[in-house]
C-alpha cells in the first residue's frame, strides 16, 4: 500500500478547496469596488439633485416631483452593503468604510427630503431608524416591521443608522435626537424608543393612511369609469 | 463561523478527497481501464457452476434461465443449479419446465434465507468456478469469456461484472440508472485498489477453492454477498471487476421498495463493519484505509448534510413567519433574488466543485458502459431522489442496528 498517493490526493484536494475561498475573496474585492463606484454615482446624483432643487426653488411644486429627484438606488446599495457586512464581518475595514459612506449618503438624502417637504407638500416622509447589530433582539423585529411599512406606504423613506458605527454623522444624529437605546425611531421630529409595531406606526401616520385610502378610492373610480 | 458550517466544509472536503482519489486512480490506470472491444478467445473452457437462489421470482426466473442457456460458452461446461428457497408463488412450476435440460438441475427447500439457498447449491455442484445469479437478472452471452481471463492472475479469487439497468421505466429506476452507471466506474477503481467490499448477486464468479478455504456463505445480516467480500479480504483474497462484462438487473420500481432494499444494504454494511471492525485502518491495504473509511464518511456526510439542510429550512421558515408576523404579508418578500451580486460565497464554489467531480465520475461511468456522455435529465432525478430519500434509509438502518432489530427480507 502506498501512502504517497493518499498525501498527493490530500494536496490536490486542499488546493481545490482553498481555491474556492480565493475565488470568493477575489469576487468580494470586486464587489467592494463595485459598491464604491455605486456610491460615487449616488453621491453625484445627490449633488445634481441638490443643484436642480436649488434651481427649481422659485418654480412651482408641480415640476418638483420627489420620485424624479431622488434615486431609488439607495435602497439597493443598503441591501448590498448589509450583504457585504454579512460576508466579510462588521469588523472588516472595507465594510466600515462602505457603511460610513452609505450613512453619509443617507443623511444627505434625508436633509434634501426635509427641504423638499417644507416647500412642497409632498407626501414623502423620512423615518430615521437607529439599530445595533449586537445585543438588540428587537432590532430584527423592528426591521421586519419597517420593511412591511414601506411596502404598505411607498411614500415613506426609511434611513437606517448603525449606532455602533464610529461615524461623526451617526454621533451627531444620536445627539440631536437623544438616541440612547436601540431600536429607536425618529419620525416627524419625535423620538420613539423601543420596538414599534406595524399597528403603532399606522396610528402615527394618519395622514399617510388617509392619503393612501384616497388614492385607492381614486383608482377604483377610474377602473369603474373605464 | 458556525459549527454547522465547519461540519459542512469538512464533509465537502472529504467528499472531494474521495472523488479526486477515484479520478486520480482512473488517470493512472486509464490505459488498462479503457479496453478495446477485443474478445480474448479462451484456450480452455473450465466447468462453471451457476447457482440461482430464488424466492417468489415467477416474474423473472424464466428470462434469467433463458439468458444463461444463450451463453456463448460450451453447454457441457455449464452447470446451472436453481435452488428454490420455499417460494409460495409459481416459481417452482416454471423451474420444472427446464429440469430436463442437461445443463440444469433444480432443488427446492424450506425457506431459510438467500445464504442457505446458496449453500445448498454449493453442496450440489462441482464446477472449477462458481457463479451466483439473482433470479431478476439477465446476462450478456459473452460475460464469462470476458471475466475468465482475469483469473490468469493467481491472486484473483473472484471477479464481478458490471451490473447495469436495461430499460429503466419509472422515475426511481431512471435515478438508479445513473447510480448503477456511476457504480461501474467506482467499482472498477475499487477493484484496481483491491478494495471492493461486495460481490453482489449479479453474477460474481468465484474460484471454487474460495469456499474450501474460507467456508460457505453466512447470513451476513442479510448481506451474505457483503460478508463474503469482507471475509475474502480478511483472508487476503483479491476481488476483480470486468466492466465490459455486462449483467442486466431490474432495480426497485418504487420509492418504497428502493427504500427497503437500501435500508437492508446499509444495515448489512454496518453490521458487517462491526463484525469485521478490526479491518478498519488495519493491514488490509486500501480496503482498510480507503473503502471502509469512505463508506463511513459517506454515511456520516449524508446524515450531517440532511440535518444541516433541515436546520436551514427551519430557520428560513421561522424568519419568513417572523417577517409576515411583524411586517405583514407582501409577495415581494418571497420573490427569489437573481442578482449576481449575491452569488459567490465559498460554499457555493465548493458545492459546484464537488458536483463537478461527481459529474466527472458519472461521465466516465457512462463512457465505460455506453460509450457516450450522460446528457440526460436522469442526473437531476438522481440528485433529487438520493439527496431527499437516502438520509431516511440510512437513519432507519442505523436505528435498526442500534436496537438490533431483525430485518424482514422483503
Amino acid at each position: 500500500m502506498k501512502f504517497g498517493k493518499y498525501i498527493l490526493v490530500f494536496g490536490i484536494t486542499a488546493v481545490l478547496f482553498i481555491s474556492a475561498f480565493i475565488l470568493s475573496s477575489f469576487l468580494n474585492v470586486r464587489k467592494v469596488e463595485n459598491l464604491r463606484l455605486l456610491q460615487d454615482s449616488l453621491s453625484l446624483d445627490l449633488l445634481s439633485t441638490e443643484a436642480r432643487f436649488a434651481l427649481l426653488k422659485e418654480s412651482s411644486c408641480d415640476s418638483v416631483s420627489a420620485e424624479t429627484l431622488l434615486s431609488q438606488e439607495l435602497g439597493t446599495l443598503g441591501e448590498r452593503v448589509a450583504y457585504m457586512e454579512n460576508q466579510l464581518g462588521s469588523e472588516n475595514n472595507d465594510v466600515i468604510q462602505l457603511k460610513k459612506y452609505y450613512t453619509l449618503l443617507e443623511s444627505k438624502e434625508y436633509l434634501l427630503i426635509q427641504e423638499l417637504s417644507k416647500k412642497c407638500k409632498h407626501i414623502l416622509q423620512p423615518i430615521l431608524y437607529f439599530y445595533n447589530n449586537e445585543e438588540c433582539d428587537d432590532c430584527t423585529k423592528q426591521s421586519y416591521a419597517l420593511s412591511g411599512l414601506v411596502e404598505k406606504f411607498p411614500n415613506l423613506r426609511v434611513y437606517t443608522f448603525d449606532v455602533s458605527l464610529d461615524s461623526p454623522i451617526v454621533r451627531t444624529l444620536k445627539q440631536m435626537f437623544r438616541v440612547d437605546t436601540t431600536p429607536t425611531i425618529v419620525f416627524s421630529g419625535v423620538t420613539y424608543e423601543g420596538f414599534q409595531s406595524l399597528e403603532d406606526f399606522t396610528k402615527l401616520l394618519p395622514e399617510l393612511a388617509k392619503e393612501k385610502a384616497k388614492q385607492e378610492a381614486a383608482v377604483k373610480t377610474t377602473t369603474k369609469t373605464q | 463561523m458556525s459549527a454547522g458550517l465547519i461540519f459542512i466544509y469538512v464533509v465537502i472536503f472529504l467528499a472531494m478527497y474521495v472523488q479526486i482519489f477515484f479520478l486520480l486512480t482512473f488517470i493512472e490506470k486509464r490505459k488498462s481501464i479503457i479496453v478495446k472491444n477485443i474478445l480474448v478467445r479462451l484456450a480452455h473452457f473450465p466447468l462453471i457452476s451457476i447457482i440461482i437462489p430464488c424466492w417468489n421470482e415467477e416474474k423473472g426466473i424464466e428470462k434469467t434461465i433463458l439468458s444463461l442457456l444463450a451463453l456463448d460458452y460450451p453447454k457441457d461446461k455449464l452447470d446451472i443449479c436453481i435452488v428454490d428457497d420455499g417460494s409460495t408463488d409459481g416459481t417452482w412450476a416454471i423451474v420444472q419446465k427446464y429440469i430436463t435440460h442437461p445443463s440444469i438441475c433444480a432443488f427446492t427447500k424450506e425457506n431459510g434465507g438467500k445464504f442457505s439457498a446458496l449453500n445448498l447449491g454449493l453442496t450440489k455442484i462441482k464446477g472449477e468456478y462458481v457463479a451466483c445469479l439473482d433470479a431478476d437478472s439477465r446476462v450478456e452471452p459473452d460475460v464469462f469469456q470476458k471475466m475468465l481471463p482475469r483469473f490468469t492472475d493467481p491472486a484473483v479469487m473472484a471477479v464481478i461484472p458490471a451490473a447495469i439497468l436495461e430499460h429503466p421505466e419509472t422515475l426511481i429506476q431512471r435515478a438508479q440508472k445513473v447510480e448503477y452507471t456511476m457504480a461501474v466506474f467506482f467499482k472498477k477503481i475499487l477493484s484496481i485498489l483491491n478494495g471492493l467490499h461486495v460481490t453482489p448477486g449479479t453474477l460474481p464468479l468465484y474460484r471454487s477453492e474460495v469456499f474450501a478455504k474460507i467456508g460457505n456463505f453466512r447470513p451476513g445480516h442479510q448481506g451474505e454477498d457483503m460478508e463474503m467480500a469482507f471475509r475474502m479480504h480478511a483472508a487476503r483474497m483479491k476481488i476483480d471487476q470486468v466492466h465490459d462484462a455486462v449483467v442486466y438487473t431490474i432495480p426497485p420500481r418504487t420509492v418504497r421498495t428502493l427504500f427497503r432494499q437500501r435500508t437492508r444494504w446499509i444495515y448489512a454494511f454496518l453490521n458487517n463493519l462491526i463484525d469485521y471492525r478490526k479491518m478498519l485502518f488495519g493491514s488490509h491495504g486500501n480496503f482498510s484505509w480507503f473503502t471502509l473509511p469512505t463508506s463511513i464518511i459517506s454515511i456520516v456526510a449524508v446524515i450531517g448534510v440532511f440535518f444541516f439542510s433541515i436546520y436551514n429550512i427551519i430557520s428560513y421558515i421561522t424568519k419568513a413567519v417572523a417577517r409576515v408576523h411583524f411586517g405583514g404579508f407582501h409577495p415581494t418578500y418571497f420573490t427569489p433574488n437573481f442578482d449576481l451580486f449575491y452569488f459567490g460565497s465559498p460554499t457555493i464554489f465548493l458545492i459546484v466543485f464537488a458536483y463537478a467531480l461527481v459529474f466527472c465520475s458519472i461521465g466516465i461511468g457512462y463512457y465505460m458502459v455506453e460509450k457516450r456522455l450522460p446528457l440526460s435529465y436522469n442526473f437531476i432525478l438522481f440528485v433529487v431522489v438520493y439527496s431527499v430519500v437516502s438520509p431516511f434509509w440510512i437513519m432507519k438502518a442505523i436505528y435498526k442496528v442500534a436496537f438490533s432489530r431483525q430485518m424482514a427480507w422483503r
Side-chain angles (χ1 to χ4, degrees), chain A residues 5-6 24 31 80 141 151, chain B residues 17 25 286 332 339 343-344:
Chain A
K5 188 172 170 188
Y6 283 74
S24 175
K31 283 174 189 172
R80 290 183 172 194
K141 289 198 294 190
E151 290 283 341
Chain B
Y17 183 94
T25 314
N286 289 313
T332 46
D339 190 345
F343 169 85

Side-chain angles (χ1 to χ4, degrees), chain A residues 80, chain B residues 334-343:
Chain A
R80 290 183 172 194
Chain B
F334 303 101
T335 26
N337 191 346
F338 291 114
D339 190 345
L340 269 183
F341 187 88
Y342 300 107
F343 169 85

Side-chain angles (χ1 to χ4, degrees), chain B residues 171-247:
Chain B
L171 292 182
I172 294 297
Q173 286 179 324
R174 282 170 179 274
Q176 286 177 88
K177 184 175 169 83
V178 177
E179 188 206 10
Y180 274 72
T181 315
M182 185 166 66
V184 171
F185 168 63
F186 285 159
K187 284 183 177 162
K188 177 83 252 169
I189 300 301
L190 282 176
S191 76
I192 291 169
L193 300 168
N194 190 24
L196 277 172
H197 72 294
V198 62
T199 44
T202 44
L203 209 72
L205 187 61
Y206 304 89
R207 285 183 202 268
S208 58
E209 62 193 88
V210 169
F211 305 102
K213 281 183 181 160
I214 62 170
N216 291 359
F217 287 97
R218 293 179 190 165
H221 310 277
Q222 294 178 17
E224 76 300 318
D225 46 2
M226 212 178 269
E227 195 278 335
M228 181 52 84
F230 273 68
R231 192 144 38 105
M232 286 177 74
H233 279 291
R236 301 187 191 282
M237 292 176 168
K238 203 169 163 184
I239 304 167
D240 204 350
Q241 183 239 29
V242 183
H243 66 270
D244 57 345
V246 174
V247 172

